[in-house]
Amino acid sequence: QLQASGGGLVQTGGSLRLSCAASSLTFTNYAMHWFRQAPGKEREFVATISGTGTYTIYRDSVKGRFTIARDNAKNTVYLQMNSLKPEDTAHYYCAASNSYLNNQPRAMNYWGEGTQVTVSS
């Protein structure tokens, strides 16, 4: 029901835009989230956007570099990633939940398969 795309290999300082298309759910009823997981590490929250798009939340390390947005007419959420760093290298997942206030992985109702982002130094 969630399909992420847009990952790839970029150099430090580069940009990527991830997309996550939703199907078979009432998109506006769900907050959308991006998580990432690097090899050997736990999955971590990256960004959240409320159902209407009014509220956004970011982890500290991506503030000012990443922007989450959604197009409810297209049932799609985006993650614009600028000024990428090697430590941003991870598999990125989109997820949907009933509340933007809880961005813990266990609170997610749906997960996409994710897309790989690799930032070379």
Side-chain angles (χ1 to χ4, degrees):
Q1 292 178 320
L2 298 177
Q3 182 64 52
S5 61
L9 172 65
V10 295
Q11 293 185 334
T12 296
S15 297
L16 282 174
R17 188 177 81 154
L18 306 184
S19 299
C20 175
S23 60
S24 303
L25 56 82
T26 305
F27 191 61
T28 53
N29 286 353
Y30 290 90
M32 297 299 297
H33 313 261
W34 287 98
F35 290 81
R36 65 187 181 187
Q37 188 167 17
K41 295 187 177 181
E42 292 187 353
R43 190 169 298 189
E44 64 183 21
F45 156 77
V46 176
T48 290
I49 188 165
S50 61
T52 59
T54 302
Y55 303 104
T56 57
I57 304 171
Y58 298 90
R59 72 178 296 109
D60 287 346
S61 62
V62 307
K63 286 180 181 177
R65 300 189 298 122
F66 291 11
T67 302
I68 189 170
R70 64 191 295 159
D71 184 337
N72 286 344
K74 295 182 179 179
N75 285 6
T76 301
V77 62
Y78 305 97
L79 185 67
Q80 178 66 44
M81 305 185 295
N82 298 328
S83 302
L84 282 161
K85 304 175 181 180
E87 51 264 43
D88 295 318
T89 295
H91 206 72
Y92 283 70
Y93 299 87
C94 59
S97 75
N98 292 322
S99 173
Y100 77 94
L101 294 174
N102 187 346
N103 51 36
Q104 294 298 312
R106 61 180 178 273
M108 300 299 113
N109 299 101
Y110 301 102
W111 287 95
E113 292 189 355
T115 185
Q116 179 66 33
V117 172
T118 303
V119 185
S120 63
S121 57

